Amino acid sequence: MNITALLVCCFVTALTVNAQTTSDTTQKRAVGDITGRVFTATTQAPVAGATVTVPGTSKGAITKPDGRFVVRGVPAGVVSIRVTFIGYETAIRNDVVVSSGKPVTVDIALVESTRSTEEIVVTADAFATTPQTITSTQILTAEEVRRAPGVQEDVVRAIALLPGVAVTAAGRNDLAVRGGAPFENLFLVDNIEVPNINHFGSQGSTGGPLSIINIDFVRDVSLSTGGFGARFGDRLSSVTNIQLRDGNDQQFGGELNLSATGVGLIAEGPLGNKGTYLLSVRRSYLDLIFNLAGFGFVPEYYDLTAKVSYDLDNNNSLSFLTIGALGTVSFNNDSADNRFENSRVAAPSQNQYFSGITWKHLFDQGYVTTTLGRTFTAYNTTQQDSLGSTIFRNTSDEGENSLRVDAVWIPSEDLEVNAGLTGRYASALRYNILMPGFARLNASGTPTPLRVDTSFTALRGGIYGQLFWNLASRLKLGVGGRVDAYSYLNTNVVISPRFSLSYRLDDRNTFSFSGGRYYQPPQFIWLIGDPQNGPSIDPLRADQGVIAWELRAADDLKIQVEAYYKSYANYPVRLFRPQAVLAPTGFDDITTDIPFGLEPIASTGSGYAYGVEFFVQKRLSTDIPLYGLASISLNTTRFTAADGTERPGAFDTPIIGSIAVGWRPSDDWEVSSKLRLSEGIPATPFIVSSAAAQETGFPVGSIDFRSYNADGRLPFFYALDVRADKRWFFDGWQLITYIDIQNVTGRKN
């Protein structure tokens, strides 16, 4: 479908069992509570006795021995929180949305002060960073994701607004970061490495049409697009780290979400005196809409999220998370047109879940986090011909168990040591694949059908260490590396050095440099695409460096300029398509190209990517009710495949730009808009004549790889979205409504 404009109206109702009350009899507006925890940014230790206030009101609280606090009777709306404690920088958290329906939960990290205790300095932590993320890292809060126009409250679509990130197709979450393929991106959810966090996700990649993460559960999300530290392995281009919040510890609360595409229910509250829970169930009714509209391609999905957190004592806590999704695609073949359209679609039905339990232990000078996890996806992808007969079938299971241990030790105020290990055992890799010869032609056009019915296991693991050292008051050095091992590959041990250096010119300006070597193992499905693949594919490699300048123009305003360079080696090349390296994304039709890497592959490709990014971000504050971000990226990506010719990469996007701005004139109203634009990716023509088909040996309608990425570019992309939010506050509950109009110009991208 070519959807040129989409109108979405969503209504969100938050209900609670007990109505909120306040002892302030003069307060006429509905009120709510703020609950949360204050801890040190370095050791994660709870801070007892910190003062928490809400500027502009008389409300406040003192943190308990476990660092927790409750501020009651805060006027509903958007407020700031101010936290002070002797020996630490004063922290201000803006953009806290207080609900009259249920308490809002906020975690605040305090940074140790380098100034005298007599000097009171107020600093906003709007752009707080950690030593592990010196360059190329941006952080978005859950509220910034929720209110972003055109992203449909999808956390992956929200991070696509950040610099260096291109989207391969409208309506999908296939992110191409700094010219890299979507399979080069790592996603973590509460310390669990997740292969794909999307409904109907692309097997062997990380994209899909929409995320399974409920935005109401997100605390914040960070994106590192290069130069990330030794803690992260197995990916070349980016790390998306999604942290989910805990449930509120004061009372039961619930939400009902109704939108144009689905319905969801949320429940949360305390679990005894030391625990909390969160629970969400969602169901789409896209199947009803698509059937009413007469579409032949009918998707339907459910998802469930549950999280339980429990404090054993002040130094030990446990959390359990499970997220599951069911997705099916059915065909409506009641007309000849529908049968023809459906014959061009590989339907990606799939069921998936990921689950994990995390133990966090604090000690005097640091902490240790241990996560035991499990991920599993059952794929069932089929494609039919125009008569309704199945011509392609892929029934696969991919299940993996994981153990991750991360330790942070701070022996002195000038030194931080990180170390850890990961172990992953793929205990359930099962593939049953049938592909006809006409859809799998070799380089000379000879049909080579594929029949796979196999299962195997795979073991991989890694260890890392890194230290961050304050060489001087303004100079910080980070050095370290990791070692990864793969039992199922020919090259089974790789070493990845990492380093970083930052210099703070003054309180506003910082220069930094980071980089190193990065490895990534091949996707499991590539190993069974041909009998020669398993023993011949090596881990992919990228050497990269990033240099950056950051200006904190104000506490809520920052400006960044970054330049990067990536050099690829051991990149998989396609032997049946010798002009191309392997770069799969969302797949639509097996008759135009071979899907999922189910073909002979060799690790002989090379490439490079470089570019410059400009980024400005203004966070919402109580002083100036404006917020927004703007970025522009200038990029170049080139790859050399099996034929030895250098060509633009499949995701080479020379210009990427975005601007999103919002205005909150009152606690009730908010208006925002987003403009996204980019130069088109390289185009490859199709074979459209019988003469060309006879010459190449490939049928009409297939991709003409003789002109791979050499047929100009797709048209310049742009889309303008606008949104308006309205809140109604009542005693004990609130109603949030918004209207979000996407692609208001009707641009046919």
Side-chain angles (χ1 to χ4, degrees):
M1 294 179 299
N2 181 17
I3 300 177
T4 60
L6 176 64
L7 176 64
V8 180
C9 304
C10 294
F11 302 86
V12 182
T13 306
L15 303 172
T16 184
V17 172
N18 300 315
Q20 300 290 329
T21 60
T22 176
S23 59
D24 187 352
T25 58
T26 64
Q27 177 64 50
K28 296 181 180 180
R29 191 184 183 96
V31 297
D33 296 344
I34 302 173
T35 181
R37 188 170 61 97
V38 178
F39 53 92
T40 64
T42 52
T43 66
Q44 307 286 297
V47 177
T51 301
V52 183
T53 58
V54 181
T57 74
S58 59
K59 308 300 179 181
I62 302 296
T63 57
K64 299 177 181 179
D66 60 1
R68 297 191 179 275
F69 67 90
V70 181
V71 182
R72 301 191 184 278
V74 180
V78 182
V79 302
S80 296
I81 298 176
R82 185 174 187 265
V83 181
T84 58
F85 189 68
I86 294 177
Y88 290 84
E89 301 283 0
T90 296
I92 293 181
R93 177 66 59 84
N94 296 316
D95 205 9
V96 177
V97 181
V98 178
S99 167
S100 55
K102 61 180 181 180
V104 58
T105 302
V106 180
D107 290 339
I108 299 175
L110 295 183
V111 178
E112 195 166 359
S113 176
T114 58
R115 302 169 176 85
S116 65
T117 57
E118 290 79 18
E119 180 184 10
I120 299 178
V121 180
V122 178
T123 60
D125 64 347
F127 303 110
T129 60
T130 65
Q132 298 92 329
T133 53
I134 290 180
T135 61
S136 306
T137 297
Q138 312 298 337
I139 299 175
L140 296 176
T141 65
E143 181 64 11
E144 288 174 321
V145 174
R146 187 202 66 80
R147 67 184 180 217
V151 306
Q152 302 174 34
E153 300 188 345
D154 189 309
V155 65
V156 181
R157 294 188 184 185
I159 64 176
L161 297 175
L162 298 175
V165 182
V167 179
T168 62
R172 287 190 61 87
N173 285 341
D174 304 273
L175 304 181
V177 177
R178 290 181 172 175
F183 66 73
E184 298 178 26
N185 304 323
L186 173 65
F187 288 86
L188 291 93
V189 181
D190 272 12
N191 215 38
I192 305 170
E193 296 186 17
V194 183
N196 197 314
I197 63 171
N198 291 288
H199 288 284
F200 310 109
S202 304
Q203 189 171 5
S205 191
T206 61
L210 72 163
S211 168
I212 66 175
I213 305 297
N214 191 327
I215 186 58
D216 290 294
F217 282 17
V218 174
R219 186 179 73 195
D220 57 53
V221 54
S222 66
L223 173 68
S224 298
T225 54
F228 42 90
R231 178 190 172 195
F232 304 113
D234 285 355
R235 286 299 187 271
L236 301 181
S237 284
S238 76
V239 176
T240 299
N241 195 355
I242 301 172
Q243 297 291 325
L244 304 184
R245 67 179 179 89
D246 294 336
N248 84 79
D249 58 0
Q250 296 301 300
Q251 64 185 68
F252 171 81
E255 286 187 16
L256 169 65
N257 296 272
L258 302 175
S259 76
T261 57
V263 59
L265 292 171
I266 296 175
E268 65 173 290
L271 192 64
N273 295 326
K274 294 185 177 181
T276 64
Y277 68 89
L278 284 168
L279 179 65
S280 167
V281 179
R282 297 190 298 183
R283 196 265 196 219
S284 75
Y285 35 76
L286 289 174
D287 52 325
L288 305 178
I289 298 173
F290 280 38
N291 278 320
L292 289 174
F295 296 149
F297 181 84
V298 183
E300 177 184 354
Y301 69 84
Y302 301 79
D303 61 49
L304 178 143
T305 304
K307 181 178 181 180
V308 175
S309 302
Y310 195 82
D311 291 335
L312 301 175
D313 52 44
N314 285 349
N315 295 325
N316 295 277
S317 62
L318 292 175
S319 67
F320 172 77
L321 171 69
T322 186
I323 298 180
L326 305 176
T328 60
V329 173
S330 58
F331 291 125
N332 179 4
N333 286 325
D334 58 357
S335 69
D337 287 343
N338 280 353
R339 287 192 295 272
F340 175 76
E341 292 295 332
N342 290 337
S343 71
R344 314 294 293 184
V345 176
S349 297
Q350 70 182 50
N351 300 327
Q352 66 186 109
Y353 72 86
F354 60 89
S355 184
I357 185 168
T358 298
W359 169 41
K360 190 171 189 177
H361 171 68
L362 309 181
F363 56 92
D364 288 343
Q365 294 176 307
Y367 60 94
V368 179
T369 303
T370 304
T371 300
L372 183 64
R374 166 77 175 173
T375 64
F376 181 84
T377 304
Y379 299 93
N380 185 9
T381 305
T382 60
Q383 186 163 343
Q384 302 173 349
D385 61 18
S386 58
L387 299 177
S389 300
T390 299
I391 58 175
F392 170 72
R393 183 183 70 247
N394 172 17
T395 304
S396 305
D397 294 341
E398 294 183 350
E400 193 169 36
N401 308 301
S402 63
L403 172 66
R404 183 181 190 97
V405 180
D406 300 291
V408 175
W409 177 46
I410 306 175
S412 70
E413 62 180 13
D414 293 326
L415 183 64
E416 176 177 328
V417 180
N418 299 166
L421 61 87
T422 59
R424 302 171 69 178
Y425 176 59
S427 58
L429 299 174
R430 295 183 287 268
Y431 301 91
N432 191 329
I433 297 172
L434 176 64
M435 182 181 298
F438 74 84
R440 192 173 182 267
L441 304 178
N442 66 16
S444 60
T446 303
T448 53
L450 179 68
R451 180 70 174 91
V452 175
D453 187 1
T454 188
S455 63
F456 63 97
T457 61
L459 178 65
R460 50 182 162 165
I463 58 174
Y464 74 89
Q466 192 157 341
L467 63 85
F468 299 93
W469 185 17
N470 293 321
L471 299 176
S473 61
R474 299 180 182 273
L475 184 64
K476 179 177 292 184
L477 171 68
V479 294
R482 60 181 296 123
V483 179
D484 291 281
Y486 313 100
S487 67
Y488 53 97
L489 298 179
N490 185 42
T491 301
N492 52 22
V493 177
V494 293
I495 301 174
S496 308
R498 310 282 172 87
F499 60 90
S500 63
L501 186 69
S502 69
Y503 180 72
R504 186 163 54 88
L505 187 63
D506 52 39
D507 290 341
R508 297 291 185 181
N509 291 273
T510 301
F511 293 91
S512 55
F513 179 73
S514 64
R517 174 160 288 185
Y518 299 79
Y519 282 98
Q520 175 177 341
Q523 302 296 303
F524 290 128
I525 194 171
W526 302 352
L527 302 178
I528 53 91
D530 194 82
Q532 73 165 24
N533 285 359
S536 65
I537 305 179
D538 293 325
L540 292 65
R541 193 186 82 201
D543 297 328
Q544 57 182 295
V546 183
I547 186 169
W549 166 68
E550 179 182 295
L551 169 64
R552 296 289 180 90
D555 288 338
D556 57 357
L557 176 65
K558 75 172 180 179
I559 301 170
Q560 278 185 319
V561 180
E562 291 196 357
Y564 69 90
Y565 184 86
K566 289 195 292 187
S567 175
Y568 287 99
N570 301 343
Y571 214 82
V573 299
R574 306 175 60 182
L575 300 183
F576 281 0
R577 308 289 184 266
Q579 305 85 355
V581 298
L582 189 62
T585 59
F587 197 77
D588 296 322
D589 183 1
I590 71 162
T591 65
T592 60
D593 196 11
I594 302 172
F596 309 129
L598 296 174
E599 57 188 303
I601 298 168
S603 297
T604 59
S606 61
Y608 59 88
Y610 61 87
V612 179
E613 300 168 354
F614 304 87
F615 182 57
V616 180
Q617 184 177 15
K618 165 70 171 66
R619 285 265 165 87
L620 182 68
S621 64
T622 54
D623 298 330
I624 304 176
L626 295 173
Y627 59 86
L629 57 84
S631 69
I632 185 168
S633 304
L634 308 176
N635 315 278
T636 298
T637 307
R638 298 289 185 269
F639 278 99
T640 301
D643 67 352
T645 301
E646 182 180 289
R647 295 178 176 86
F651 309 107
D652 177 52
T653 312
I655 302 174
I656 307 170
S658 64
I659 180 170
V661 294
W663 176 44
R664 182 172 279 170
S666 67
D667 291 329
D668 301 339
W669 280 99
E670 184 172 347
V671 292
S672 56
S673 181
K674 179 193 72 180
L675 174 65
R676 183 167 179 82
L677 52 88
S678 69
E679 190 169 349
I681 59 175
T684 303
F686 288 85
I687 296 175
V688 296
S689 69
S690 57
Q694 185 175 4
E695 179 184 350
T696 62
F698 287 74
V700 171
S702 59
I703 296 175
D704 188 351
F705 277 88
R706 295 175 303 173
S707 301
Y708 179 70
N709 285 353
D711 192 36
R713 292 181 176 273
L714 296 183
F716 200 89
F717 171 96
Y718 69 84
L720 177 65
D721 308 323
V722 296
R723 172 171 169 150
D725 292 60
K726 176 69 171 71
R727 298 173 183 265
W728 282 267
F729 300 99
F730 303 97
D731 188 18
W733 66 286
Q734 74 171 335
L735 174 68
I736 307 169
T737 64
Y738 71 83
I739 183 170
D740 190 347
I741 306 176
Q742 301 175 32
N743 197 15
V744 296
T745 64
R747 167 76 173 181
K748 294 183 179 181
N749 289 304

